[in-house]
Amino acid sequence: MQPALALAHLTVLDLPPPAVLRVAAGAGCAAAGLRLLPVAPGAAGYPLQDDPALMRETLAAMAETGVAVADLEIVMLRPETEIAGFLPVLEAGARLGARHVLVAGYDPEPARLAASFAGFCQAAAGFGLTADLEFMPWTAVPDLAAAIRVVREAAQPNAGVLVDALHFDRSRSRVGDLAAVPRGWLHYWQLCDAPAAHPGTTEGLLHTAREERLFPGEGGLALAPLIRALPPELLVSLEIPTVTLARTMGPEERVRRAAAAARQAIAAARQG
């Protein structure tokens, strides 16, 4: 069984939301993720919550293509975070019919982070959204074990753990540990490939994660065991930024290649 695919906005971050939906449709993706909040001041983001014209264009593209909005990103929980500040994003998500919100933990105080995550989950639940905590080695939630601890402590019914194939590998999380993740915590996951060698610095980790991933099957990540360990019906988000390749190949072709490679990798893993 082939799961539905979604196109993560990071894969084509230079495109505004309506174009993301059209490119996703061209590759046979059922859904797309949209980045409404940037990862840093001045970084790319498309604030639909503050741009009525762009919201209208995005809704029109959804109707035109039939592509749904899977997730919104990226909510960063920091020591100074006030959950009320995210309400406009959650309202936009409800209008778009989104299902999930990608959350990253940047608060080094574990109890405060868990409380903040619980508060965000409660706010998201009011808009019919899950809150999916992504573990990344450079954050305060560096690996799968840490994500499990935060979600367990938050104890919210719409809380989830988001597995990204790259971060799973770079954090040296173990496939066997996925058995400790309740099925209800898994709402979707992110697929890509990358060189097998681990970067030696945070800068190297960030560069690969945000700019230079590879299509599934073209790198050295152990994708097959991960694919087999995750529920086969989970939505698979293609988060594969390829900045160097983008200089010579348009987004439509890159996304088609990414989707084809993902389908091939999933099929091969489940037949193996």
Side-chain angles (χ1 to χ4, degrees):
M1 180 181 71
Q2 278 283 344
L5 300 182
L7 173 61
H9 205 155
L10 184 59
T11 304
V12 286
L13 194 53
D14 55 325
L15 297 183
V20 173
L21 295 165
R22 294 186 179 99
V23 169
C29 294
L34 299 179
R35 179 164 292 191
L36 275 58
L37 296 169
V39 297
Y46 300 87
L48 295 174
Q49 65 275 16
D50 301 322
D51 191 334
L54 187 57
M55 173 64 85
R56 287 192 298 271
E57 292 172 17
T58 302
L59 291 169
M62 291 175 64
E64 169 197 326
T65 62
V67 173
V69 174
D71 64 309
L72 309 176
E73 54 174 322
I74 175 171
V75 166
M76 296 181 171
L77 299 179
R78 303 184 185 278
E80 67 276 12
T81 292
E82 294 185 5
I83 302 304
F86 295 118
L87 290 178
V89 172
L90 299 175
E91 291 169 355
R95 188 173 177 191
L96 292 162
R99 307 168 202 168
H100 319 296
V101 182
L102 190 157
V103 181
Y106 283 86
D107 187 339
E109 209 293 303
R112 184 173 57 206
L113 175 59
S116 182
F117 181 63
F120 182 80
C121 288
Q122 292 164 4
F127 296 90
L129 293 157
T130 69
D132 296 85
L133 184 62
E134 183 175 17
F135 56 94
M136 295 173 272
W138 59 86
T139 71
V141 187
D143 54 27
L144 176 61
I148 291 172
R149 286 194 297 270
V150 173
V151 174
R152 181 177 292 125
E153 186 170 346
Q156 298 299 313
N158 64 326
V161 171
L162 177 57
V163 175
D164 178 308
L166 176 66
H167 305 321
F168 191 88
D169 174 86
R170 297 310 194 228
S171 67
R172 293 181 169 82
S173 295
R174 298 176 299 182
V175 168
D177 293 339
L178 286 167
V181 182
R183 174 63 184 86
W185 291 8
L186 296 169
H187 303 127
Y188 69 113
W189 69 285
Q190 295 176 327
L191 176 60
C192 69
D193 211 333
H198 288 231
T201 65
T202 297
E203 291 75 15
L205 289 168
L206 287 166
H207 176 73
T208 301
R210 295 177 179 174
E211 298 188 18
E212 295 297 348
R213 304 193 192 197
L214 299 173
F215 300 135
E218 295 186 2
L221 302 188
L223 295 180
L226 182 60
I227 290 168
R228 288 194 290 266
L230 289 165
E233 71 278 7
L234 277 187
L235 179 72
V236 179
S237 176
L238 307 176
E239 186 168 73
I240 314 174
T242 51
V243 172
T244 299
L245 187 61
R247 296 181 186 132
T248 58
M249 183 182 296
E252 295 85 358
E253 179 60 22
R254 283 186 287 118
V255 174
R256 281 196 295 268
R257 282 185 54 181
R263 293 184 182 105
Q264 182 174 355
I266 292 167
R270 291 178 179 165
Q271 291 169 1

